[in-house]
Amino acid sequence: MKKKKLFSVLSAEGKSSIFNPGFAAGVLLLTVVFVTAGYSYMEYLLEMGGSVEGAPWIVLFTYCISSDQSLLLLPLFVPLAASGNAQTELKSRFCLFLAERSGKKEYLLGKVSGAAISGGLMTLFSYILTLCIVSIACMNITDVSRNISELPVWNLIFEFLCGFLNGALWSLVGSAAAVFTKNSYLAYASPFIFYYVMTVFQERYYENLYFLSPKQWAFPSYYGTAFCVFVLLFLDLALSGLLIKSIERRLLR
């Protein structure tokens, strides 16, 4: 019975976090950012007469999602769907009704899952749209690479996984910041600020410690993909735990 109740809460929270204008706006904005970031590289491939690194659509898609511009703006848009929901309900005390109706444990897990899933799926959907656009744009670009490898295709799977975990991370950061400060507006501003400050500090003050850079978490260039998945998963779980404790403490007041 409890499992059915938990599944029902998670399902309802997931739907409310995804089927809203903020989620759709975030997907479209991220897609525009990714496509815009890769436009100059697409022109370069056309001028060079093709791609020497492999299938053009894979190369261009990878460039779109890994550019500095894309990685910087992603934390700005992923909180649009559900990062402010927890603080809004805590402020209005509507959370008490919801927690009593669904159960406190179920409510806490649902609220954290809603924030994480909305950010992760927003990133995934924008990746899919970008990949479709890039595939069409690359129809006239020739693959002039000599070596045909299946590795890039497998890399796409890990890129999508890292994208989901990265989107979930920054959505959770926004939700946690809003709950900690009791200000729902910080749910939308804090992820971008944290990403920018952490990136600048790493590049300026401890430039050899690449594992502290949010860029390396999202798209590792110095480490393997396993590093990216491990770090993002650890941070997602840690933030989820902190967020649950913070919301629970506010509920008891």
Side-chain angles (χ1 to χ4, degrees):
M1 184 67 178
K2 287 186 177 181
K3 290 184 178 180
K4 290 183 178 180
K5 194 173 184 180
L6 176 59
F7 178 79
S8 177
V9 172
L10 292 177
S11 177
E13 188 65 38
K15 290 178 180 178
S16 65
S17 300
I18 295 172
F19 295 105
N20 66 70
F23 183 86
V27 170
L28 291 176
L29 288 170
L30 278 178
T31 302
V32 170
V33 168
F34 295 152
V35 173
T36 302
Y39 183 76
S40 60
Y41 191 68
M42 183 186 70
E43 290 186 323
Y44 169 77
L45 292 177
L46 288 170
E47 292 176 0
M48 293 296 295
S51 170
V52 298
E53 301 176 62
W57 62 277
I58 296 179
V59 174
L60 182 56
F61 172 73
T62 301
Y63 183 88
C64 288
I65 65 173
S66 63
S67 68
D68 289 343
Q69 175 185 339
S70 298
L71 296 179
L72 175 65
L73 293 180
L74 186 145
L76 183 64
F77 296 131
V78 291
L80 291 177
S83 291
N85 291 356
Q87 169 55 23
T88 300
E89 292 177 5
L90 287 168
K91 184 177 181 180
S92 66
R93 305 306 290 171
F94 186 60
C95 56
L96 296 175
F97 167 76
L98 294 175
E100 182 179 354
R101 181 182 177 183
S102 61
K104 186 176 73 171
K105 179 181 178 181
E106 288 77 9
Y107 173 78
L108 293 172
L109 291 175
K111 196 56 57 183
V112 172
S113 299
I117 291 173
S118 66
L121 288 182
M122 184 186 294
T123 305
L124 275 187
F125 287 175
S126 61
Y127 274 18
I128 293 172
L129 282 176
T130 302
L131 186 58
C132 293
I133 295 172
V134 164
S135 298
I136 296 173
C138 288
M139 291 178 66
N140 295 324
I141 301 178
T142 308
D143 182 1
V144 295
S145 62
R146 295 182 178 179
N147 298 321
I148 300 177
S149 174
E150 296 181 358
L151 183 59
V153 178
W154 286 108
N155 278 351
L156 283 180
I157 298 175
F158 288 107
E159 286 172 4
F160 273 76
L161 176 59
C162 289
F164 178 87
L165 294 174
N166 190 43
L169 170 65
W170 295 113
S171 184
L172 286 170
V173 168
S175 187
V179 172
F180 290 159
T181 61
K182 301 181 181 180
N183 187 337
S184 58
Y185 294 105
L186 285 180
Y188 311 106
S190 58
F192 175 81
I193 294 172
F194 281 138
Y195 179 92
Y196 181 79
V197 170
M198 291 175 67
T199 300
V200 170
F201 267 65
Q202 188 275 325
E203 292 178 349
R204 185 170 299 179
Y205 298 109
Y206 35 91
E207 56 183 9
N208 293 326
L209 302 179
Y210 303 111
F211 62 91
L212 295 178
S213 172
K215 289 183 181 180
Q216 295 301 314
W217 306 342
F219 198 90
S221 57
Y222 291 93
Y223 306 100
T225 313
F227 167 84
C228 170
V229 173
F230 174 79
V231 171
L232 287 175
L233 187 59
F234 172 78
L235 292 175
D236 285 345
L237 292 175
L239 268 175
S240 296
L242 288 174
L243 185 55
I244 287 175
K245 290 295 183 182
S246 301
I247 297 175
E248 184 178 22
R249 184 176 299 176
R250 294 275 300 276
L251 280 173
L252 297 176
R253 289 181 181 179

